[in-house]
Amino acid sequence: MNEPWVKVYNAANNLEAHSLKGMLENENIAVQLSGESLGSAAGELPADVVQVGIWVCENQVTAARVLIERYENADYPDWRCPNCGEQNEGQFEICWQCGHDKHTF
Ligand SMILES: [Zn+2]
């Protein structure tokens, strides 16, 4: 069964898009990104020139918007991984270096 996809957000760049995608997928929301290929084709341009659309299934739009709003309003502090000592940005739930969950100590 094919749900229609709805764009719920324009990310300013690929990094933000992928952070949001990861966050939404953690909540079992399927995500598609648009505009990425533009970004890599225009390799000479700074990455933040190209906006990336975040698309979710129509029946998950409401849930996705709530999560995105929370993401936008939250001011996450950076955190240091207790496992490997790596410094991570606050919006990431797991250490990019070793995969350690931020909430597990
Ligand atoms: Zn780590």
Side-chain angles (χ1 to χ4, degrees):
M1 156 153 182
N2 258 329
E3 293 283 342
W5 290 79
V6 178
K7 181 151 76 171
V8 291
Y9 191 73
N10 273 319
N13 53 54
N14 276 339
L15 184 64
E16 184 182 29
H18 282 279
S19 304
L20 281 164
K21 182 170 186 277
M23 177 197 68
L24 292 169
E25 285 175 346
N26 277 345
E27 305 291 331
N28 294 317
I29 294 174
V31 176
Q32 286 184 359
L33 303 178
S34 65
E36 270 193 299
S37 52
L38 265 176
S40 36
E44 316 251 319
L45 295 170
D48 59 5
V49 164
V50 179
Q51 288 205 329
V52 184
I54 311 254
W55 298 71
V56 303
C57 282
E58 193 170 43
N59 62 355
Q60 296 187 303
V61 165
T62 308
R65 287 207 170 120
V66 168
L67 287 163
I68 288 170
E69 197 162 308
R70 197 184 297 163
Y71 169 91
E72 283 190 299
N73 294 331
D75 184 21
Y76 296 106
D78 287 359
W79 57 285
R80 186 173 291 280
C81 176
N83 189 47
C84 72
E86 189 63 41
Q87 189 81 20
N88 291 282
E89 287 183 37
Q91 71 264 35
F92 296 115
E93 291 293 311
I94 55 172
C95 174
W96 67 269
Q97 179 82 300
C98 72
H100 188 85
D101 191 302
K102 154 183 176 177
H103 303 292
T104 311
F105 289 96

